[in-house]
Amino acid sequence: ATTLPSPVRPRRSAFHVVSQRTARMPRRRPPGKTSRPLAAPRERESLEVEVESSEAALPTARADKGDGLAGISLAGVPLTPEVSAIVLVYFVQGILGLSRLAKDYFVKDELGLSPAEASIIFTISSVPWLVKPLWGFISDSVPLAGYKRKSYLAACGFLGAGAGFSLCTVVNDVPGAVLAFTFGSLSTAFSDVVIDSIVVARARGESQALSGSLQSLCWGSVAIGGIASSYFSGSLIETYGTKYVFGVSALFPLLIACAALLVREDPVDEKKRALKVETADAEARDGEKVGDQLVELGKKLWAVGKQRRIWAPTAFVFLWQATPNPGTAMFYFTTNELGFTPEFLGRVALARSVAALVGVGVYNGYLKKVPLKKMFFWSAVVGTALGLTQLMLVTGYNREIGISDQFFSLGDTVVLTVLGEVSFLPVLVLAAKICPEGVEATLFAALMSVFNAGGAASGALGAALTSYLGVTAEDFTNLFWLVLICNLSSLMPLAGLRWLDEADKEWESEEDAVAALKEGGSD
């Protein structure tokens, strides 16, 4: 959604997801395969997951975990070179919002698509976010130029720049736009997986409060990037057009390639020698078929995913995201019917980015210890009630009570964005903490792919409902009913709130385990 986001749903239509880490001293493990329980506090049943410490875990386990550069820390996280790389990548994700408004105008004005058709285009281009486990598997198992992390970050940066420049120069039809949008999403999604593989390991084993602080750091970086680009996204479109904006935004993915230089990672061959792996074993592992590795990884994911404490919260989050969204239809209404200009929509985007940063601060300062069930319940109830205020804009009632369309749109956007950010961060904290060591990139990507699949389903349902009700670029007769149905459907996931009981228990057991480990370390 460009102007008025759907309530209690993240503001980014590109389904960006991130994770966090924290600085803690790594525990020494013997080389080769190790066995580690996901969590074993209070004599609870635990799951043994066998992982390759010499391959998947080392990029994060051996990363810089010192006290930071000259003792500097951000939100309690030491500012090491690797943390700087993480912040930079997420900052780029936010600043790429410079082209988001340009995409909306490009498909509406230059390609001449209807609201339903535009929704389908954006849903298709989000496919790379739905297969994030594949990118995680490739990153974990197939080294590129001798590295499993930094080389892929560099490649993603160049791919994103290429997609942006193609939109600026040669793309003038629907198939070309779909390909360029999709390759741009692939660049961001793959780089997101690579960064997740680094940061998830640092969030594991920490308390809910500290993990929430770490999430706030990265989401704050995204919000700052959004603030830096939001206003200019509208003014540049109005002055120079969408092609110019695509060209400027194509420069920013190159910063992801630069961030790769800050990631500390040993080449694959050096890690094998450091771990004194015998040559015969190393050659056998290197010669193992990718298909066999994929089957083995699938078994590991199934062993973890079939536990209720993982699949139940994941199913709830999918339902939470999958309710229909009227965002594209509202963009057409505000631009074609209400006459909102690109420059004003840039102000709306700026207000949304500032509100997102406020939402991060509210969550980090006051809500990171609130149980998940309570947060989701009140987010859904309050969000639905506030989302219904969009009906005032559709009917023009706001003008009858003396509130202009522009002022009403700004206020509504700010409130809904803060609420969406507050309800979204706990999902990422939960997903990061349940990932076992050694397959961080792949498992976290699998969890987030389910989340993103809900977002894609939301867009598809919104497009179908828009088409069914006959809402077009010129006819907004049934827009009232579209907005009403979409907002009321946000209450439906509350029927699955009981699935979060396991998640709340997991927080308690994790914190008990961390306390026990700290006491043992002090002895």
Side-chain angles (χ1 to χ4, degrees), residues 20 128 377 437:
Q20 271 291 12
F377 176 81
E437 206 170 332

Side-chain angles (χ1 to χ4, degrees), residues 230-231 345-356 410-411 413-414 417:
S230 295
Y231 178 78
L345 292 180
R347 296 181 186 178
V348 174
L350 176 62
R352 183 183 301 115
S353 297
V354 174
L410 278 173
T413 296
V414 168
T417 300

Side-chain angles (χ1 to χ4, degrees), residues 99-116:
S99 65
R100 192 168 303 124
L101 185 60
K103 291 179 180 179
D104 291 330
Y105 273 98
F106 181 72
V107 299
K108 181 178 79 76
D109 296 334
E110 300 187 34
L111 298 183
L113 301 182
S114 68

Side-chain angles (χ1 to χ4, degrees), residues 31 51 122 128 138 154 258 265 275 335 367 418 447 461-462 495 498 522:
V51 300
F122 293 131
I138 293 174
C258 295
E265 179 186 8
L275 291 172
T335 54
L367 301 174
V418 171
L447 296 173
L461 289 174
R498 63 183 183 279
S522 62

Side-chain angles (χ1 to χ4, degrees), residues 311-396:
W311 70 254
T314 303
F316 173 82
V317 169
F318 174 83
L319 295 177
W320 180 267
Q321 279 293 100
T323 55
N325 189 344
T328 303
M330 286 297 297
F331 169 72
Y332 277 70
F333 173 74
T334 55
T335 54
N336 291 356
E337 185 74 13
L338 301 183
F340 287 2
T341 64
E343 193 273 339
F344 173 73
L345 292 180
R347 296 181 186 178
V348 174
L350 176 62
R352 183 183 301 115
S353 297
V354 174
L357 194 59
V358 172
V360 170
V362 170
Y363 171 78
N364 189 48
Y366 304 100
L367 301 174
K368 60 187 177 184
K369 295 184 179 181
V370 177
L372 293 178
K373 283 182 66 175
K374 180 180 294 186
M375 285 213 50
F376 279 117
F377 176 81
W378 286 110
S379 294
V381 173
V382 176
T384 299
L386 294 176
L388 291 175
T389 59
Q390 296 180 38
L391 297 176
M392 299 174 64
L393 191 66
V394 172
T395 59

Side-chain angles (χ1 to χ4, degrees), residues 203-250:
R204 186 179 48 247
E206 301 296 342
S207 66
Q208 177 183 352
L210 182 55
S211 295
S213 297
L214 299 174
Q215 292 291 352
S216 299
L217 174 62
C218 273
W219 277 106
S221 302
V222 173
I224 292 173
I227 292 173
S229 66
S230 295
Y231 178 78
F232 295 103
S233 63
S235 59
L236 288 176
I237 291 174
E238 196 163 314
T239 304
Y240 300 105
T242 58
K243 295 285 188 177
Y244 179 86
V245 174
F246 288 142
V248 173
S249 62

